[in-house]
Amino acid sequence: MTSKELREKYLQFFKEKGHAIIPGASLIPEHDPTVLFTTAGMHPLVPFLLGEKHPSGQRLVDVQKCVRTGDIDSVGDSWHLTFFEMLGNWSLGSYWKEEAISWSFEFLTSKKWLGIPAKKLNVTIFAGDKDAPKDEESAKIWQALGIAKERIFYLGKDDNWWGPAGQTGPCGPCTEMFYDTGKDKCGKNCQPGCDCGKYAEIWNDVFMAYNRKIKNKKPKIKNTNKKLKIEYEYVPLAQKNVDTGMGVERTVAV
């Protein structure tokens, strides 16, 4: 499969699910002053994730060009590129976890679309913390689709929480899909999220239900060598959004 064929299949799949195809945005953000470059598909849609009405409706699908910044140190391995493209489908207060996860599974595994064997897929889910609960709902949906318990992993915020793009903004827990390349495990603790190359992350479904804000007001610091620790609070959004991203280059490689 070529990258052109993958893009076409993805857009067609979600068009059939009632999504409007929208154009990708510039690599230089127009409406997001928190970042210098578009590093994720969600950047151009931040105003709409926060509640502004999108002219094309509540269900959207696109292909977004991105520049890697946050994990740029990973560039050069088998799965990280400086420039990459993300396929994204969006729910702006429309559907939620069941539809997002089941459609991801359908597109990945159905012979009509990508035809990846379900047994090659592993998934990760947010383990929960003081800011948001453990995502048992997503685990139940994956199990109902046929993903065995031993291929479902609970990870913390460093791995299974997306956003915001800058210091503040929309964010939420996510469930990620990994392809097992067939390589041997690097050790007994090897699992999705390990950087040894056995597991390749190809899709991320983000359940954007929070807006991260700075909690503490900026204090007066007499000692200029003292580093201010910023505290955040996670405020529920007025609408629950789904933000997904599938890497074009990674998926073509798979």
Side-chain angles (χ1 to χ4, degrees):
M1 180 179 292
T2 65
S3 58
K4 181 176 184 291
E5 290 170 335
L6 174 60
R7 294 188 201 97
E8 290 174 348
K9 280 179 176 285
Y10 187 88
L11 294 174
Q12 181 60 33
F13 177 85
F14 281 100
K15 184 179 180 181
E16 292 181 10
K17 303 295 185 186
H19 292 61
I21 299 174
I22 60 173
S26 168
L27 282 174
I28 308 300
E30 294 180 31
H31 306 295
D32 190 348
T34 65
V35 291
L36 292 175
F37 299 103
T38 297
T39 65
M42 54 85 71
H43 287 173
L45 295 170
V46 166
F48 310 105
L49 294 168
L50 291 173
E52 187 177 319
K53 300 300 180 185
H54 195 284
S56 295
Q58 290 180 284
R59 297 185 178 191
L60 311 172
V61 61
D62 65 359
V63 183
Q64 178 61 52
K65 296 177 174 63
C66 302
V67 173
R68 188 175 301 280
T69 58
D71 53 354
I72 197 168
D73 288 343
S74 297
V75 170
D77 65 12
S78 299
W79 302 103
H80 293 83
L81 302 173
T82 307
F83 169 84
F84 60 102
E85 289 183 276
M86 294 297 286
L87 300 167
N89 59 284
W90 311 85
S91 167
L92 305 174
S94 178
Y95 56 86
W96 192 228
K97 294 180 181 180
E98 186 167 357
E99 294 91 339
I101 292 174
S102 62
W103 289 342
S104 296
F105 183 77
E106 180 184 353
F107 185 73
L108 286 171
T109 62
S110 171
K111 291 183 179 180
K112 179 182 176 181
W113 302 104
L114 299 192
I116 296 174
K119 65 181 181 181
K120 298 285 285 182
L121 296 178
N122 293 261
V123 300
T124 59
I125 294 171
F126 183 56
D129 62 13
K130 62 181 177 60
D131 300 316
K134 186 177 182 180
D135 191 2
E136 298 284 12
E137 183 181 355
S138 291
K140 290 178 181 178
I141 296 169
W142 281 118
Q143 288 179 54
L145 290 169
I147 301 295
K149 283 185 178 181
E150 57 267 24
R151 288 190 281 124
I152 298 175
F153 301 84
Y154 290 90
L155 300 178
K157 191 167 278 177
D158 287 344
D159 295 284
N160 276 79
W161 186 279
W162 172 256
Q167 277 193 327
T168 60
C171 57
C174 60
T175 179
E176 298 180 328
M177 287 137 270
F178 290 78
Y179 177 80
D180 186 344
T181 65
K183 294 181 179 179
D184 292 335
K185 289 188 176 184
C186 65
K188 64 179 181 179
N189 295 322
C190 185
Q191 64 180 26
C194 179
D195 59 5
C196 72
K198 177 174 175 56
Y199 300 101
E201 179 201 336
I202 55 175
W203 202 336
N204 187 10
D205 289 353
V206 185
F207 306 118
M208 246 172 214
Y210 299 92
N211 185 13
R212 189 171 83 173
K213 298 182 177 181
I214 296 177
K215 187 176 183 180
N216 56 324
K217 294 181 180 179
K218 189 176 181 180
K220 293 180 180 180
I221 301 175
K222 294 181 180 179
N223 182 0
T224 56
N225 293 322
K226 184 177 179 181
K227 189 175 181 180
L228 173 63
K229 182 180 180 182
I230 299 175
E231 294 182 4
Y232 299 103
E233 60 180 341
Y234 293 81
V235 181
L237 288 169
Q239 67 181 27
K240 290 182 177 180
N241 308 295
V242 173
D243 151 25
T244 86
M246 172 187 253
V248 170
E249 296 83 2
R250 292 184 183 185
T251 307
V252 170
V254 166

